[in-house]
Amino acid sequence: MSDEGIVLDGAKVFWRTLLPRLKAERWILGLSVVLAVLAGFAGIHVLAILPFWIVLVAAVLNRSAPVAQPVPEAAPATVEKSMDPLIPVLNALDMPVIVVAADETVLFQNLAAEKAFGTIPKDTYLSARVRSPGILDMVRETIATGKINQIEHTERLPSDAIYVVRVAPADTGDEGPAQRVFLLTYRDISQARRIDRMRSDFVANASHELRTPLASLRGFIETLQGPARNDPKAQEKFFAIMHEQATRMSRLVDDLLSLSRLELKSHIAPDDTVDLVPLLGHVRDSLAPLARELDVTIALDVPDAPVFVQGDRDELVEVFENLIENACKYGQEGKRVDVRLTGGEGHQAEVTVKDHGPGIPAEHVPRITERFYRVNVEASRSKKGTGLGLAIVKHILTRHRARLLIHSEVGKGTIFTVRF
Ligand code: ADP
């Protein structure tokens, strides 16, 4: 089958669509003539409103009004018939597909398109439902030239989604170009874009976190090589700060490695069995020096019987160390951290870590498990935080098919609940 019948170059398309366009816009054009006459009566020279005319005509020519294209007459009945066997196939696709006829009317939309954009009644002009001028221009060009086109398009409603919208001609029979339909497909790339953005944000954040201690280390090295070369007192002070900064960098690198290790095995559930009673006792003991230093008491309440969960011991230690350490650090002024374990004997295991500190304002709560998200960056840094603790906790718990619930009241404190 030959394409010759409908292959038109851009200029031809323009002139052949001009008359139908002007016809379609007759109301606007009529109004502008009335305006011109009124301007004449008001004593305004017609040339004075020339720019207005130019803008108006340009707008009319660019508008995406549903105008019939000068393509050969379509034969909808035959076209539709030849499409019949394809309908179940198109409906099975999870990608929105709209089939457009050569006169720009919608012949068919699959179920995914109906779900994404609502029902488009058959024979509706595409331009009556698709508002994007980019998509409409692209469809018109493909109808005119027979060439495949695609553009990236953001759909705001019902929710933000980024699509690669592609239009390709499909010949449905062998009776000439009139049998040709055009497949408009929407490939959703929102998720891929989100992941790309998260990845680049993550790299930017990690570099930023490493750059600060690195810059400080470089500054001190230069001072030690220069002005402080012969000053033992300053040297002692600077070495202590340098040690602190290097430790901060290695903490950050350890946390980053820990996160990437967890990401690699996030889909593999752990198969060991762990008793949470001794595990929580161990965590309390390991944090005792920090609690003493901060003048906080860790009160541990566990059942007498063992509480078994399926899990990885080291990872669960990391979870509770992070939560209890945070409760001690950020809830220091509450003086007390309550750790409670419930469950066992067929009941769901649950651990709550409760502090009586300042709490977390509600707008921050949904985001504090994001990497590098901190309510107060300075407070976190001064408490040796990396901003990755809760992200690690969340990753570990996801792998353990457990949930992390956060309840916080400003001025009263925060409760982190781990539900297995
Ligand atoms: P960090 O290394 O900064 O402690 P986390 O991921 O462990 O990072 O915690 C993220 C942020 O959540 C902290 O910087 C802090 O602002 C807030 N946060 C965590 N736990 C508590 C808590 N118990 N009370 C108040 N704020 C908390």
Side-chain angles (χ1 to χ4, degrees):
M1 191 169 96
S2 152
D3 283 346
E4 304 301 304
I6 61 161
V7 174
L8 301 170
D9 68 31
K12 269 189 194 158
V13 171
F14 177 82
W15 290 115
R16 292 181 68 172
T17 57
L18 184 61
L19 202 64
R21 273 169 190 283
L22 292 178
K23 240 193 222 165
E25 305 294 347
R26 58 189 173 279
W27 294 111
I28 294 183
L29 290 171
L31 182 70
S32 40
V33 170
V34 173
L35 278 179
V37 171
L38 287 178
F41 277 129
I44 303 169
H45 196 281
V46 170
L47 279 182
I49 56 166
L50 192 62
F52 166 77
W53 268 90
I54 294 171
V55 171
L56 189 80
V57 171
V60 165
L61 293 180
N62 276 325
R63 256 169 62 116
S64 41
V67 175
Q69 295 289 316
V71 289
E73 275 286 294
T78 354
V79 171
E80 272 176 66
K81 222 171 164 25
S82 51
M83 267 186 52
D84 278 355
L86 296 176
I87 290 175
V89 179
L90 294 179
N91 275 337
L93 283 175
D94 65 348
M95 169 196 270
V97 180
I98 299 174
V99 182
V100 182
D103 63 356
E104 286 185 35
T105 54
V106 172
L107 282 175
F108 170 77
Q109 69 175 150
N110 73 346
L111 292 175
E114 203 172 325
K115 199 167 151 209
F117 314 123
T119 310
I120 307 177
K122 206 176 142 300
D123 295 333
T124 307
Y125 274 106
L126 186 67
S127 55
R129 292 304 291 261
V130 173
R131 297 287 170 201
S132 152
I135 297 178
L136 293 172
D137 285 349
M138 171 181 83
V139 171
R140 281 182 193 136
E141 197 189 313
T142 298
I143 290 176
T145 63
K147 286 197 185 123
I148 296 173
N149 274 308
Q150 68 175 38
I151 56 165
E152 201 174 299
H153 165 71
T154 305
E155 194 77 32
R156 299 273 168 227
L157 289 170
S159 58
D160 265 12
I162 307 170
Y163 292 103
V164 171
V165 186
R166 178 180 189 269
V167 59
D171 295 333
T172 55
D174 54 4
E175 285 135 52
Q179 299 299 111
R180 182 173 277 183
V181 295
F182 299 86
L183 246 71
L184 193 58
T185 50
Y186 287 72
R187 184 157 50 89
D188 192 343
I189 54 162
S190 323
Q191 181 71 0
R193 277 294 151 83
R194 251 193 304 275
I195 291 170
D196 277 355
R197 206 173 40 237
M198 271 169 64
R199 195 169 296 147
S200 64
D201 281 358
F202 176 65
V203 172
N205 279 328
S207 323
H208 178 76
E209 292 292 328
L210 282 168
R211 204 164 40 205
T212 318
L214 255 180
S216 140
L217 275 177
R218 266 176 56 178
F220 283 119
I221 290 170
E222 276 161 24
T223 316
L224 287 169
Q225 285 173 331
R229 188 194 294 261
N230 299 314
D231 184 346
K233 237 179 154 180
Q235 283 177 1
E236 195 183 332
K237 190 172 147 206
F238 293 160
F239 279 134
I241 303 174
M242 287 167 75
H243 184 259
E244 199 180 294
Q245 296 296 344
T247 315
R248 181 172 151 197
M249 282 170 65
S250 69
R251 248 195 332 259
L252 192 67
V253 172
D254 285 349
D255 279 358
L256 287 171
L257 286 174
S258 185
L259 259 180
S260 88
R261 258 195 309 269
L262 284 166
E263 258 171 1
L264 282 181
K265 53 181 179 179
S266 63
H267 55 286
I268 311 164
D271 48 14
D272 283 352
T273 303
V274 184
D275 180 2
L276 290 177
V277 176
L279 186 142
L280 286 171
H282 163 79
V283 173
R284 189 234 358 236
D285 295 346
S286 69
L287 288 173
L290 174 81
R292 236 188 333 270
E293 192 185 309
L294 296 170
D295 194 20
V296 173
T297 309
I298 303 173
L300 182 61
D301 177 9
V302 292
D304 295 331
V307 177
F308 289 109
V309 292
Q310 203 170 320
D312 178 303
R313 187 182 181 277
D314 291 347
E315 287 181 11
L316 291 177
V317 166
E318 201 171 346
V319 164
F320 295 113
E321 267 179 1
N322 263 310
L323 294 180
I324 299 172
E325 189 179 323
N326 275 352
C328 294
K329 287 191 312 193
Y330 299 110
Q332 183 185 3
E333 63 192 59
K335 301 265 181 218
R336 183 185 159 94
V337 170
D338 297 301
V339 182
R340 186 155 186 254
L341 168 65
T342 53
E345 290 173 9
H347 291 101
Q348 199 174 34
E350 193 171 283
V351 181
T352 52
V353 178
K354 180 176 177 183
D355 69 62
H356 307 272
I360 306 166
E363 67 271 23
H364 295 290
V365 172
R367 297 199 58 190
I368 56 166
T369 54
E370 285 175 22
R371 295 156 187 204
F372 297 115
Y373 191 88
R374 284 165 283 193
V375 177
N376 180 332
V377 176
E378 275 323 304
S380 155
R381 286 208 180 125
S382 69
K383 292 173 198 294
K384 300 188 174 145
T386 59
L388 293 172
L390 291 179
I392 292 175
V393 166
K394 202 166 169 205
H395 261 83
I396 296 177
L397 293 181
T398 307
R399 179 166 125 76
H400 281 73
R401 313 287 184 258
R403 289 180 66 200
L404 178 70
L405 309 169
I406 307 167
H407 176 79
S408 190
E409 268 183 74
V410 174
K412 284 197 167 170
T414 308
I415 307 174
F416 283 86
T417 305
V418 176
R419 190 169 289 161
F420 287 90

